[in-house]
Amino acid sequence: MASSDLMQGIEELDEARPDYRTAQEYYDGDVPEIFASARLRRALEDTGVDFRLNFAKTPVDAIVDRLEIAAITGADDTHTELISKLWADNGMDLEAPDIHCHACTLGDAYLIVLPTEDEHGNVTGVEMHYNSPQTVRAIYSSENPREIDYVIKRWCEKTSLGEIQRAELLYDDRTERWTTLPGAKGAEQGDWHHWLTADDPEDPEAGGEDSWIIEHDYGRPPVFHFRTSRPFGRPEHRGAYGPQNAINKLSITHMGTVDFQGFPQRYALTDAATTDTSDLEPGDFDDFPTDEASAGPTDTGDDSALKAGPGEVWLLRGYKNVGQFEAAQPSVFLDPIMFEVRAMAQITTTPLHLFDPQGDVPSGESVRAKEAPFVKKIRNRQMSFGATWREVFVFALKLLGHDDASVDVRWVPAATVEDQTGWQTATEKVKNGVPRKQVLLEAGYRQEQVDEWLEGVDDAELGRRVQILAAVADSAQKLGAAAALGVVTTEQVQGLLSGALSDIELLAGVEART
């Protein structure tokens, strides 16, 4: 019979899974529209046309785009080389961004790290695999919320005998393996049995008595929890759910009025005393007569002779006047959509210009001020994810026989100074006595970059280089304005700046050699 830990883990997995599904649906743009009218909802569903504008993924993508690992190093060259090999062997150049994306989308992501062994039981490498929080969940200690009591992983396998539920409980010193018989749902404690190693994997009753337990000396579950908050994460776009629902409703309703804007609905008032309309049918004045072959999922008009639709004519007794009904103005829908986008940006702490890159984008100090809360959030994610990456590689090195290893994770800066105003500010700081190293670090450059630049360079030379950077930034801005006025072409501007930078690099090389 299943242990209490197994049933507790299954219960927590089942309770958390709907929220993860919702988060994924909003990121993918698969959330159904919400309409007060059931008839309107059915009509739009029958068309099979999708007019959704998915802004909810932007708060996630904006953060993930700036979560770029610059380097992971060890305390010595041997450890650093091993880390680089593990990174390459597990394809982490592709896997790491995906893990960050999953963690920001769902709030949680798990990485399972296990040793690979040869036929003699010697560890030859380490495998790292992402696991979804919909199938894996860490159960934290009630006494110490920072410690993991155990981790549950549950999944379903299809066999020739039917579907089988599988589960593993990963502890500090062992892994317990559980299974159900074919067809059992796994909801009851009696559904679960020891998953015994056997020649026939479809026979859960075969194998040795102790084969359902795998003992180890890892000292911790080999599972690592990436999360946006503690103890469990919160989707970065959680605050975007409400605005996205409103945007879906507004955009689809707007699309429903577009046909009426192109083909307005008309009316004709008739005078019964002077006009004989006894042989006319409501569809006789349609711009688009409907035949059986072209009939679609539109209103049949069975409940009224006045049929609503683009190009329709309402035939009213007694011709006295004709006209058309004006469709709703696009601003009735587009203005509220922009309000919802602004609300989404505010709620999710995402700069508004990231939702509309074609709009007015702030520059210089303005963009840094507007992005300050956003950049702070990115740095918080770097600290959280960085701590988990350190745990991953300290554990991986331990599996390879290197105990008590030290690992350092460095990130590409969340924001850097790249404009004229920023470099002018940096120059003023230097003039007023702020150490040049501190100025460069505040500009967003990494510690190792700054150390490399400052090696063998005195303060006077460094000050000159900062002034050169400020001058180049100023020239780039002015040349950009000239290109916008048509005085020079973009290609000419690029050529001038490339040549100037090349000359500066050449001069720096000559000075370094002399």
Side-chain angles (χ1 to χ4, degrees):
M1 182 178 292
S3 67
S4 58
D5 284 352
L6 176 60
M7 300 313 298
Q8 178 191 356
I10 290 175
E11 181 181 357
E12 291 203 21
L13 266 176
D14 290 342
E15 289 178 354
R17 192 172 290 121
D19 288 340
Y20 291 129
R21 288 175 180 162
T22 299
Q24 191 65 57
E25 287 171 352
Y26 273 97
Y27 181 79
D28 294 336
D30 293 335
V31 182
E33 300 78 21
I34 300 174
F35 291 96
S37 169
R39 182 179 179 185
L40 178 58
R41 182 172 60 252
R42 287 194 300 270
L44 289 171
E45 288 174 350
D46 288 341
T47 64
V49 179
D50 183 1
F51 294 114
R52 284 183 286 258
L53 302 176
N54 187 21
F55 288 95
K57 70 193 299 288
T58 300
V60 175
D61 291 344
I63 291 179
V64 174
D65 287 345
R66 300 200 191 184
L67 287 177
E68 182 179 352
I69 295 177
I72 301 180
T73 58
D76 55 49
D77 292 342
T78 301
H79 289 175
T80 300
E81 290 175 3
L82 282 174
I83 291 171
S84 298
K85 186 177 186 304
L86 290 172
W87 187 272
D89 290 346
N90 288 278
M92 283 297 160
D93 282 338
L94 299 176
E95 291 291 331
D98 282 348
I99 291 171
H100 297 159
C101 185
H102 291 308
C104 291
T105 301
L106 304 178
D108 301 283
Y110 293 93
L111 190 69
I112 295 182
V113 181
L114 293 171
T116 57
E117 299 178 348
D118 59 18
E119 56 188 12
H120 303 294
N122 299 318
V123 176
T124 59
V126 176
E127 290 184 343
M128 304 177 183
H129 301 285
Y130 162 75
N131 280 254
S132 169
Q134 298 191 56
T135 59
V136 174
R137 190 168 182 84
I139 309 300
Y140 285 91
S141 168
S142 300
E143 183 178 351
N144 185 353
R146 292 185 297 177
E147 291 185 359
I148 296 177
D149 277 344
Y150 64 96
V151 176
I152 181 173
K153 177 177 180 179
R154 183 189 181 189
W155 69 100
C156 177
E157 287 185 9
K158 292 183 178 180
T159 71
S160 60
L161 301 178
E163 288 190 349
I164 293 178
Q165 302 293 321
R166 304 289 202 191
E168 290 183 342
L169 300 181
L170 299 98
Y171 294 92
D172 292 351
D173 58 354
R174 70 190 187 280
T175 297
E176 294 182 3
R177 308 171 79 223
W178 297 85
T179 186
T180 66
L181 296 176
K185 300 299 183 181
E188 303 294 334
Q189 195 167 9
D191 292 343
W192 293 93
H193 307 274
H194 296 162
W195 178 6
L196 305 175
T197 303
D199 293 332
D200 181 3
E202 296 179 0
D203 181 4
E205 299 301 329
E209 288 298 323
D210 297 329
S211 61
W212 67 284
I213 294 181
I214 302 174
E215 296 182 349
H216 61 73
D217 58 355
Y218 302 156
R220 59 155 297 154
V223 183
F224 298 86
H225 189 187
F226 293 83
R227 46 191 169 161
T228 59
S229 60
R230 295 173 181 266
F232 296 96
R234 184 177 187 273
E236 299 290 0
H237 59 318
R238 178 64 183 85
Y241 293 179
Q244 185 62 56
N245 288 337
I247 290 171
N248 288 345
K249 184 177 179 66
L250 287 165
S251 62
I252 292 177
T253 306
H254 176 217
M255 290 298 101
T257 70
V258 168
D259 290 342
F260 288 87
Q261 290 169 342
F263 305 96
Q265 181 173 308
R266 301 162 295 172
Y267 63 85
L269 300 178
T270 65
D271 189 340
T274 59
T275 306
D276 182 9
T277 60
S278 60
D279 60 341
L280 295 178
E281 297 293 335
D284 289 344
F285 293 93
D286 288 358
D287 285 344
F288 311 105
T290 302
D291 54 37
E292 293 183 358
S294 62
T298 59
D299 187 355
T300 62
D302 293 340
D303 55 344
S304 173
L306 303 179
K307 183 179 178 183
E312 297 284 358
V313 174
W314 284 9
L315 183 59
L316 306 176
R317 298 296 178 182
Y319 285 130
K320 293 183 179 180
N321 193 10
V322 294
Q324 66 185 33
F325 296 105
E326 297 298 328
Q329 293 298 313
S331 60
V332 174
F333 306 99
L334 299 182
D335 289 349
I337 285 177
M338 291 311 301
F339 168 80
E340 297 296 341
V341 171
R342 289 192 294 271
M344 187 182 297
Q346 176 68 27
I347 294 170
T348 61
T349 322
T350 306
L352 182 60
H353 65 266
L354 296 180
F355 287 90
D356 183 16
Q358 300 301 320
D360 294 333
V361 180
S363 60
E365 288 299 320
S366 177
V367 71
R368 278 190 288 278
K370 291 179 181 297
E371 286 196 352
F374 177 64
V375 170
K376 183 177 180 180
K377 181 166 67 171
I378 294 172
R379 288 171 179 161
N380 287 337
R381 300 296 175 269
Q382 289 176 344
M383 285 191 292
S384 175
F385 293 174
T388 306
W389 280 117
R390 279 192 294 273
E391 292 178 353
V392 166
F393 283 97
V394 167
F395 180 76
L397 290 173
K398 179 180 178 181
L399 293 178
L400 295 174
H402 299 269
D403 295 333
D404 301 324
S406 177
V407 174
D408 182 36
V409 179
R410 301 173 189 172
W411 298 85
V412 172
T416 57
V417 173
E418 297 177 347
D419 60 288
Q420 175 195 3
T421 305
W423 281 113
Q424 287 177 342
T425 302
T427 302
E428 290 300 318
K429 287 182 178 181
V430 172
K431 289 180 179 179
N432 285 279
V434 178
R436 291 179 172 85
K437 181 176 181 178
Q438 179 64 30
V439 170
L440 291 173
L441 290 174
E442 291 178 356
Y445 295 98
R446 301 194 306 274
Q447 176 77 42
E448 64 272 19
Q449 288 178 313
V450 175
D451 291 341
E452 182 180 352
W453 293 342
L454 298 184
E455 185 178 359
V457 178
D458 58 25
D459 285 351
E461 173 59 19
L462 184 57
R464 189 176 70 87
R465 292 186 183 184
V466 171
Q467 291 176 351
I468 289 174
L469 288 172
V472 170
D474 180 51
S475 299
Q477 185 180 48
K478 292 177 179 178
L479 287 172
L485 294 174
V487 178
V488 294
T489 66
T490 302
E491 291 75 13
Q492 288 174 322
V493 171
Q494 292 175 344
L496 289 170
L497 288 176
S498 297
L501 291 173
S502 298
D503 290 343
I504 292 172
E505 291 176 357
L506 180 61
L507 179 60
V510 171
E511 291 178 348
R513 290 193 295 271
T514 58

